[in-house]
């Protein structure tokens, strides 16, 4: 593993305030437009590149900022305060699309791809999910057959974030057809322009317009052996380790969004008058505000605790699952209360709350459903108890 640079408090604070300003001044004003267009403007993506956002977690020697997990979470809290479509633009480069390469790539692979990933020139996607392998990731059917100095990939992947813009895919495929389950899965770096690789149209979704997911098809795609990530059969564990980190990132975005929804509902409740006084003076409204604040605070504390453990090189499988489970369920409740506090206005498009309400629903599903997180947490508890 590369040694990380310790950013001091002042530099971290400066980074966070630059991002907070960017979110407030450049992103929030265009949220509704991005929702309607289902696209983030290219000019904004270029500004994200200039800010170094695509390389937040890439080691410095390959052109990134090499943030610790804790600082990555602080950044994600800030990006959570606006439409998740924005952070999704660079989210796969920072997380699931690049972490396999950072954690398990060879020096040659890192030198070849990481500088372009850090600059945002190369967008990355993580191809684990398939039509018949959703929660059951070990059931991957995409085949990778070794033929001389390359592998031939055949199969398809489903709902892959940023696939329409990706230039590089981390693909989990089965190298040994006789080995069912996790042990037969291997990870590969597959370039977009490989003959036989094609990408479907972006799906129409309930929320998060501007963030795209597409299917990816592999029709006898030749991948050189040097593009295998790690050993044959190590792909499932690689994917799980990548997801441990990704889950903490998603949890952080949930907290940022919850804080945004709480602030919007509080501001509304301060102004909106009913029964002769602002509705924030009605105790049943106060109860909803207090519950949302308390739960967002609890999630934030969990995330920061888990992030510090990760920065101390400890396994966070349980903690990341718990943080993602709690934070994604929490933001669902907070969004629901926000609609309730705004009443009719919460249901009307112009107020923007209904959009965020739709946006947050997927957090309980992607990068592991709540039910999968419960399984992961319980399994880790049982494993520890058995010693
Ligand atoms: N770190 C390291 N190793 C791990 C691990 C982790 N977090 N989790 C499991 N492993 C190891 C296990 O120790 C085991 O190793 P051994 O065989 O040596 O003992 C091996 O991996 C197999 O693990 P399990 O027996 O636990 O595997 P399983 O088939 O029972 O499944 C699961 C486990 C937790 C259900 C897993 O399949 C899972 O997390 N599913 C959810 C998948 C998911 O999150 N998908 C999201 C896709 S990505 C996405 O959403 C991206 C997007 O674009 C938005």
């Amino acid at each position: 593993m590369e040694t990380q640079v310790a950013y001091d408090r002042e530099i971290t604070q400066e980074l966070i305030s630059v991002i907070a300003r960017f979110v407030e001044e450049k992103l929030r004003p265009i949220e509704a437009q991005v929702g309607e267009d289902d696209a983030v403007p290219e000019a904004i993506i270029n500004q994200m590149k200039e800010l170094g956002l695509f390389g937040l977690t890439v080691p410095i020697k390959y052109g990134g900022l090499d943030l610790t997990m804790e600082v990555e979470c602080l950044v994600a809290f800030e990006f959570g305060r606006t439409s998740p479509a924005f952070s999704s633009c660079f989210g796969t480069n920072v997380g699931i699309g690049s972490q396999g390469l950072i954690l398990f790539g060879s020096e040659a692979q890192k030198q070849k791809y990481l500088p372009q990933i850090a600059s945002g020139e190369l967008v990355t996607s993580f191809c684990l999910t398939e039509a018949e392998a959703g929660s059951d990731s070990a059931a991957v059917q995409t085949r990778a057959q070794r033929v001389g100095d390359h592998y031939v990939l055949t199969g398809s992947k489903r709902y892959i974030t940023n696939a329409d813009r990706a230039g590089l895919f981390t693909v989990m495929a089965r190298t040994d057809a006789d080995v069912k389950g996790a042990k037969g899965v291997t990870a590969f770096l597959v370039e977009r322009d490989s003959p036989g690789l094609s990408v479907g149209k972006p799906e129409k979704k309930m929320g998060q317009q501007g963030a795209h997911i597409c299917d990816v098809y592999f029709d006898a795609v030749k991948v050189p052996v040097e593009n295998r990530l790690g050993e044959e059969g190590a792909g499932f564990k690689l994917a799980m380790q990548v997801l441990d980190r990704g889950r903490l990132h998603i949890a952080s975005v949930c907290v940022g969004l919850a804080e945004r929804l709480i602030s919007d509902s509080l501001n509304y409740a301060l102004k909106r008058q009913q029964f002769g006084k602002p509705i924030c003076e009605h105790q049943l409204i106060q109860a909803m505000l207090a519950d949302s604040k308390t739960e967002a605070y609890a999630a934030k504390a969990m995330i920061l605790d888990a992030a510090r453990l990760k920065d101390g090189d400890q396994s966070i499988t349980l903690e990341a699952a718990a943080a993602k489970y709690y934070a994604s369920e929490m933001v669902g409740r907070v969004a629901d209360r926000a609609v309730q506090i705004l009443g009719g206005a919460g249901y009307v498009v112009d107020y923007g709350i209904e959009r965020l309400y739709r946006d947050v629903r997927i957090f309980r599903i992607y990068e592991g459903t709540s039910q999968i997180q419960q399984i992961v947490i319980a399994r880790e508890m049982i494993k520890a108890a058995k010693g």
Side-chain angles (χ1 to χ4, degrees), residues 216-239:
V216 182
Y217 305 98
F218 304 90
D219 181 8
V221 175
K222 277 174 84 171
V223 178
V225 170
E226 60 263 26
N227 275 31
R228 193 183 68 214
L229 260 184
E231 295 304 314
E232 277 200 10
F236 183 83
K237 285 190 191 178
L238 173 148

Side-chain angles (χ1 to χ4, degrees), residues 92-107:
T92 47
N93 275 38
V94 168
I96 53 178
S98 69
Q99 284 300 316
L101 172 57
I102 292 171
L103 291 172
F104 301 97
S106 66
E107 187 52 37

Side-chain angles (χ1 to χ4, degrees), residues 129 135 137 161 183 237 240 244 247 317 366-368 379:
T129 301
S135 287
S137 306
T161 302
K183 287 193 168 59
K237 285 190 191 178
M240 291 300 116
D244 280 348
R247 287 170 181 165
T317 300
Y366 65 16
E367 295 202 26
R379 281 186 183 179

Side-chain angles (χ1 to χ4, degrees), residues 92 96 125-129 133-139 158-162 181-183 212-213 236-244 247 250 315-318 324 362 365-369 372-373 375-376 379-380 383:
T92 47
I96 53 178
S125 280
F126 179 75
C127 294
L128 176 63
T129 301
S135 287
D136 185 5
S137 306
R158 176 144 288 184
Y159 304 152
I160 303 304
T161 302
N162 283 337
K183 287 193 168 59
H212 296 166
I213 55 169
F236 183 83
K237 285 190 191 178
L238 173 148
M240 291 300 116
Q241 278 172 263
V242 166
L243 284 169
D244 280 348
R247 287 170 181 165
I250 300 254
S315 161
I316 55 154
T317 300
L318 184 151
K324 201 270 185 180
I362 191 65
I365 298 169
Y366 65 16
E367 295 202 26
T369 61
I372 289 296
Q373 310 309 335
I375 289 171
V376 172
R379 281 186 183 179
E380 289 297 309
K383 207 162 53 176

